[in-house]
Amino acid sequence: MTETPATTTESARSERSRWLALYVLCASVLMIVIDATIVNVALPSIQDDLGFSQSDLAWVINAYLIPFGGLLLLAGRLGDLIGQRRIFLIGLTVFTAASVLCAVAQSQGMLIGARFVQGAGGALTSAVVLGMIVTMFPEPRDQAKAIGVYGFVASAGGSIGLLTGGVLTEAISWHWIFFINVPVGIATILLTRRIVQAPEGIGLGEGADVPGAVVLTAGLMLGVYTILQVGEQGWGSPQTLALGGVSLLMVGAFVVRQARIANPLMPLRLFRSRNVVGANLVMAFLVAGMFSMFFLGALYLQRILGYNPLEVGLAFLPSTLVMGTMSLRYSDRLQMRFGPKATLLPAVLLLGAGLLLFARTPVDGNYLTDVVPPTVLIGLGAGLGFPSLMSLAMSGATPSDAGLSSGLINATVQVGGAIGLAVLATLATERTDGQLAGGESIPSALNSGYHLAYLIGAALVGVAFVLGLTVLRGDSPQEAEDAGAASAQTEPALSEVS
């Protein structure tokens, strides 16, 4: 059938609309990722202004992370049931409104309560974005490029948050780290309603398992809380063991229930895919290892090299630029030429090499020779690896399961990162305390603890490499292209559904 000028124009308009919709969705992701990092930079100012004790100050972070990590799976599945765009808009509205409350907070209780609500809104928004993207772009080539954009925003937002937080906190006040979300949130809500089209959900009747939803959410929130308290309680404390055991029992009971009921909230058929299971396992170990670089690397720059928050943000800028170049320009091309698995594995090795280089940073380190090389390697690895991993994690998703798959990989990132950070920070502190007891100077003792964490992080990344090599299945690029073409003929793209 020959295309007329009118149909060609309409096709071009639809194509532009799809990509504009992607940028709108990614703007919301960037806002949420930046918010999670930007608060860390402002904590000293918040503590001085509102009179937080050191132990209570942690709740400015924890109050956000508990609902965020606990609601991702449920939010993703709700997107499948009642519509992904609807959940996205609800979450974005809640997040934006809660940001206003955080910005005007004049008491500890008000800030902590607003942060809890903000975390819930962030979970609803984040959980469905990747599912919306893979539905919008069913063809493998376009999908790989779109996921590259998403991967850059999701992984580089932390570095951008460090820089933005330093600027706002030093130039104005900590209140503006929350105020900045308001115009971005409002604009994204309006543009989403205008540009982003979405199919209706499959209906609550297909998975309205209210008891299961309560058990799952409570179990995940309890698990996140337990992990966050490890630094104070210790891994072998009665509280950690008891609450961790209860959390595992609740999640296990949820999985058993899903296998037995007619319309499960989380259909277990998703886990029959080796790539879905393997990608989530690889992601868990990868983020557990990588969090040592972002968290302890910032501490190394501040506590040992004497950088201020703004300088820390600038120090990670080369990593962000390299990550963006790889994600936006090369990851999709390499995936289409070699396949996502073949693109992922060398990227994981680059991440491990970056962590090993960080493990040799001296107390009197030089930025150009000791900090730039490992951060650039990690930027290369993350820029190529995370888009490939997200493509694999979403490879088994049908339109009716896309939200669940999206929520699952996001939950894996949050839980894996929280566990990794808790383990690495605890071991680093124990090594530092031992070095101090042995008469080492404070900078040397701190650096010794950081080095141990980097080495363990590199080992975790090594486990991720082995899992990727043995568990993931590598389709050839042509097979992926053919599968995507068949899917495109049978499933409507998001932008084509009213």
Side-chain angles (χ1 to χ4, degrees):
M1 180 177 178
T2 304
E3 288 190 349
T4 65
T7 57
T8 302
T9 302
E10 183 63 29
S11 176
R13 186 180 296 116
S14 176
E15 185 71 8
R16 287 196 300 271
S17 178
R18 278 200 309 170
W19 288 101
L20 184 57
L22 170 69
Y23 302 142
V24 170
L25 295 177
C26 286
S28 71
V29 174
L30 182 62
M31 176 179 68
I32 290 169
V33 173
I34 287 177
D35 182 85
T37 309
I38 205 173
V39 175
N40 291 319
V41 179
L43 283 178
S45 299
I46 294 173
Q47 183 177 19
D48 293 340
D49 196 15
L50 298 184
F52 277 99
S53 67
Q54 192 62 40
S55 59
D56 289 343
L57 186 64
W59 280 100
V60 177
I61 303 296
N62 295 351
Y64 179 91
L65 293 177
I66 290 171
F68 190 92
L71 286 170
L72 281 167
L73 267 179
L74 176 61
R77 187 55 177 164
L78 285 175
D80 293 328
L81 298 179
I82 67 174
Q84 292 170 3
R85 193 184 79 154
R86 184 173 298 161
I87 290 295
F88 176 83
L89 286 171
I90 291 171
L92 202 52
T93 302
V94 170
F95 183 89
T96 305
S99 295
V100 175
L101 295 178
C102 290
V104 301
Q106 298 297 319
S107 68
Q108 298 179 16
M110 183 176 179
L111 180 59
I112 290 172
R115 286 286 286 166
F116 188 92
V117 177
Q118 195 185 32
L124 291 170
T125 304
S126 302
V128 296
V129 170
L130 193 54
M132 295 170 75
I133 289 172
V134 299
T135 312
M136 286 166 61
F137 298 93
E139 300 87 357
R141 189 174 300 277
D142 287 344
Q143 188 178 108
K145 185 175 182 179
I147 289 179
V149 176
Y150 171 86
F152 165 67
V153 169
S155 54
S159 301
I160 298 171
L162 288 173
L163 181 59
T164 308
V167 171
L168 292 175
T169 303
E170 291 191 9
I172 312 177
S173 76
W174 66 264
H175 297 277
W176 282 90
I177 68 174
F178 298 112
F179 272 130
I180 199 173
N181 292 334
V182 179
V184 178
I186 292 173
T188 306
I189 290 169
L190 295 175
L191 287 171
T192 298
R193 294 179 65 89
R194 180 181 179 87
I195 296 171
V196 181
Q197 302 299 316
E200 293 296 322
I202 59 177
L204 282 174
E206 295 298 317
D209 177 21
V210 176
V214 172
V215 171
L216 173 65
T217 304
L220 289 175
M221 284 191 179
L222 183 61
V224 173
Y225 171 78
T226 303
I227 295 166
L228 293 173
Q229 293 298 298
V230 163
E232 294 182 13
Q233 302 295 328
W235 285 99
S237 70
Q239 175 179 310
T240 300
L241 295 175
L243 295 183
V246 172
S247 172
L248 290 174
L249 284 174
M250 294 177 77
V251 174
F254 169 78
V255 172
V256 170
R257 177 177 173 81
Q258 300 312 290
R260 295 180 175 179
I261 62 177
N263 292 317
L265 178 69
M266 187 173 72
L268 300 184
R269 64 178 179 273
L270 183 67
F271 300 96
R272 295 173 188 163
S273 167
R274 285 183 60 179
N275 278 350
V276 171
V277 174
N280 278 274
L281 287 173
V282 172
M283 180 68 84
F285 281 95
L286 209 54
V287 297
M290 273 193 62
F291 265 49
S292 63
M293 189 279 284
F294 287 109
F295 180 72
L296 299 175
L299 290 179
Y300 168 76
L301 292 172
Q302 287 181 301
R303 294 183 178 180
I304 296 178
L305 299 189
Y307 285 31
N308 62 37
L310 178 56
E311 290 171 333
V312 171
L314 290 171
F316 282 110
L317 192 57
S319 176
T320 303
L321 294 175
V322 171
M323 199 181 301
T325 302
M326 294 297 104
S327 296
L328 303 177
R329 291 184 61 86
Y330 297 108
S331 66
D332 61 315
R333 300 178 188 179
L334 291 172
Q335 284 189 60
M336 294 312 301
R337 182 170 181 179
F338 301 108
K341 177 180 176 178
T343 305
L344 169 68
L345 294 177
V348 174
L349 293 178
L350 289 171
L351 290 169
L355 290 172
L356 290 175
L357 280 183
F358 257 122
R360 53 159 295 280
T361 49
V363 171
D364 57 347
N366 177 276
Y367 175 70
L368 289 178
T369 58
D370 297 311
V371 178
V372 171
T375 57
V376 167
L377 282 176
I378 288 173
L380 285 169
L384 293 176
F386 281 105
S388 302
L389 205 46
M390 290 170 185
S391 295
L392 289 163
M394 299 299 293
S395 61
T398 64
S400 61
D401 292 334
L404 175 59
S405 299
S406 176
L408 178 62
I409 192 65
N410 276 284
T412 298
V413 170
Q414 293 300 317
V415 175
I419 293 175
L421 185 56
V423 171
L424 296 174
T426 300
L427 294 174
T429 300
E430 291 177 354
R431 165 65 71 87
T432 296
D433 291 343
Q435 293 287 305
L436 289 172
E440 290 286 340
S441 65
I442 292 177
S444 178
L446 284 171
N447 209 30
S448 179
Y450 300 156
H451 285 179
L452 176 64
Y454 296 141
L455 290 172
I456 296 173
L460 293 172
V461 171
V463 174
F465 178 83
V466 173
L467 287 170
L469 186 64
T470 57
V471 178
L472 294 175
R473 186 171 62 87
D475 287 339
S476 69
Q478 185 59 50
E479 288 174 334
E481 190 87 56
D482 294 342
S487 174
Q489 291 176 359
T490 57
E491 299 290 350
L494 182 62
S495 59
E496 298 168 352
V497 181
S498 60

